Amino acid sequence: MIPFSEVRLLSLPVSEHLGAAHGATAGPARELVVVALDDGDAVGWGECSALTTPGYSHEHARAGYELLTAGVPIDRESYPMAAAAVEMAELDLLLRRADQSLAEHFGVEVESVPAGATLGIGPESTTVERARAMAGAGYRRVKLKIDPAHASSIVAAVRAAVPDVEIHVDANGSFAPTEVSELYTLDKLGVTVIEQPFPADDTIATATLVSSVEATVVADEAVGSVADAERLLAEGALGGVSIKPARVGGLAAALQLLDWCVEHGVDALAGGMLESGLGRHALAAFAGLPGFTIAGDISPSSRWFAADPWPDITMIDGRVLVPRAAGVAPAPDPEMLDRLTIAVTTR
Ligand SMILES: [Mg+2]
C-alpha cells in the first residue's frame, strides 16, 4: 500500500442543517476526512464521506481519521467509506498524471446531469418555503427527508406549492411496517420515489410496498454490495438503488453495482453523502453514466456548506455540468484547507 502523505480531519461550517431520521447530521459543522497522496509531481485527494456521528452508517468521521492515520490496509467490507477515500486519492493521482478527467476515464459523454435538491425534516412552513426556493433556483427534483411523524401533510403542502417539481421522499429506514398506510398516501400524492422506507433488514415489508405502489421503492442503506441487491431483488424487495460510491467502498464497486442494475433492469440514482466539493465532483462525473434512470442527489456543495476548500460543481438551469478538469476534482484552496482543518497527520 502506498503511504499517505497526509490525512486531515476537516470541520466544514454548515449553512443549512439537513434533518434526517437517522439523526447523524446535527450540529453547526460537518466533520469530514480527506487524504492526500503526493508522488512529488502531483497530489491526489480522496474523501471519506462518513458523517460526523454514526447513524446513517456505523462509520463516522473521527473513526475514519483514526483508521486512515493508522496506515494499515483497510477492509472495504467493514469500512467502505474509509476504503473509498484511499481509492479516490489513488485515482485522482493517476488521472492527474495522465491529464485526464474522471468523466473521460468513465467514458461519460453527456455534458450535464439533472440536479436534485434534498430538504431536511423541519417545520412544514420552512420546508414549503425551501421547496419554493429550490424550484426558483431551477431544481426540477426535490427529495424530502421524512419520518412517520412528518410525511403526508408536508408532502401535500410541498406538492401544492411546487406542482411542477418531481418529489422524492427518503425515510432513512424510520417506518415500522404498521405505519405503511402513510406511505400509500404519499404514493397517491404523486411521490415518484420512496427511498429506504423500512429498516434495511425488513425485506418483507419492503417487498409488500414494492408490489403495492406506483412509486419506485429505492434501497439506500440496505445495499452495500451487488450481493445485497441480488438478495433483495430475489425477495421482491427492490425497485431501485441509490448508488453511493462511499457506501459501497468506492467508485469501482459503485460502477459494478450500476452495471448490475442495468443488467437486471433495476432503476438507479446517484446518491449523495453531504460531500465536499471534492466528493461532489466525483459524484457529478459518476452521475453522467447512462445507467442512471432516476435524477440523483446532485447539488452544489454550497447548498450545505458555508465554506469548502474545494471548488464547487456548477449548476445551470436545473442541471449540473459534468466536470472535465484533470483528476477527480480541481485542487483545494490551501489556505482554506488549513483554516478548516482540525487535525492532521503527515507522513
Ligand atoms: Mg438515503
Side-chain angles (χ1 to χ4, degrees), residues 198-210 222 231-232 235-238:
F198 304 111
D201 56 2
D202 198 338
T203 45
I204 294 173
T206 309
T208 307
L209 190 68
V210 166
R231 182 177 48 79
L232 289 177
E235 293 176 27
L238 191 71

Side-chain angles (χ1 to χ4, degrees), residues 56 143 145 170 172 195-196 220-221 242 244 297:
Y56 170 79
K143 177 159 99 181
K145 290 286 195 179
D170 183 1
N172 289 105
E195 186 171 313
Q196 200 64 55
D220 176 355
E221 287 89 333
S242 165
K244 296 181 176 176
D297 305 330

Side-chain angles (χ1 to χ4, degrees), residues 41 74-75 252 347:
D41 290 328
I74 291 160
D75 173 22
R347 29 189 189 86

